[in-house]
Amino acid sequence: MKIFIDGRTIKKNPGGLGLWNIRLVEGLLQKKIDKIFLLLTKDCNYSFKENAIFAKSSSRLILIRQSPPYKFVDLNRFLFEQLELKKIIESTKPDIYHATDSFGVPFSLNNKIRIILTVHDLIPLTTYREFMNSFLYWLYRQSLSIAIKKANMIVAI
């Protein structure tokens, strides 16, 4: 089995979602999984070599540093996910794609790839949303809608 994980929230001193992603990958590496492809930002500076579990499993963990810098919601992220991410995922031929950041699922991803979507937070859909103008709110809703429709399984935290 091959799994592709969106780990773009991982950075040097991860907290919150980045740390959650690291623990997810650590747990999966202890299972009988052939390959784990981990998508990172091009500028990711987390030291995987210092993590004993990652170092021991380096032949099964494939780091893919092809994403632009992480932004929660913005047009560049949306375009990357809908145009480039699809190609990156499909080139690895995974059985499962795990979108770990509440959305980030290409609408035209091959239907043979099972999709797990983890939804962490829906505050941007409430009146309490911050730092989000009407365009970003619309973009967030579109991204979330695509992800929910494409997902085979949704994990809500």
Side-chain angles (χ1 to χ4, degrees):
M1 174 179 290
K2 296 190 286 185
I3 300 175
F4 191 106
I5 297 174
D6 184 345
R8 291 179 285 170
T9 58
I10 297 172
K11 56 185 177 186
K12 184 172 181 131
N13 295 308
L17 187 51
L19 190 56
W20 185 90
N21 276 321
I22 289 170
R23 298 293 177 255
L24 171 67
V25 175
E26 287 174 343
L28 289 172
L29 285 170
Q30 296 178 37
K31 306 290 181 192
K32 292 185 178 184
I33 296 172
D34 299 321
K35 295 271 185 215
I36 297 173
F37 301 95
L38 183 60
L39 178 67
L40 303 167
T41 61
K42 292 175 186 173
D43 62 352
C44 176
N45 55 3
Y46 178 78
S47 181
F48 289 90
K49 292 177 184 176
E50 292 177 17
N51 183 314
I53 295 171
F54 291 153
K56 185 174 91 172
S57 305
S58 62
S59 65
R60 292 178 32 229
L61 178 62
I62 312 301
L63 304 178
I64 301 172
R65 299 175 189 269
Q66 293 186 14
S67 170
Y70 176 81
K71 298 273 183 149
F72 177 61
V73 179
D74 93 331
L75 183 58
N76 289 333
R77 175 184 172 158
F78 181 79
L79 293 173
F80 170 78
E81 289 169 351
Q82 297 308 317
L83 303 173
E84 298 301 317
L85 182 56
K86 173 192 182 306
K87 295 174 195 170
I88 296 168
I89 294 169
E90 290 180 353
S91 73
T92 64
K93 298 180 175 51
D95 300 295
I96 297 171
Y97 167 57
H98 191 160
T100 62
D101 190 20
S102 301
F103 53 97
V105 178
F107 70 90
S108 62
L109 189 63
N110 184 327
N111 288 332
K112 292 180 182 179
I113 300 170
R114 307 295 291 171
I115 298 170
I116 299 172
L117 172 66
T118 299
V119 179
H120 295 271
D121 194 347
L122 294 176
I123 288 175
L125 294 178
T126 72
T127 56
Y128 297 101
R129 65 184 174 268
E130 299 175 8
F131 310 114
M132 198 177 289
N133 61 35
S134 57
F135 174 72
L136 293 180
Y137 175 68
W138 175 84
L139 197 59
Y140 175 79
R141 289 186 56 133
Q142 297 308 308
S143 298
L144 185 62
S145 177
I146 291 167
I148 289 170
K149 286 175 185 171
K150 291 286 293 181
N152 300 103
M153 177 183 289
I154 298 173
V155 178
I157 295 181

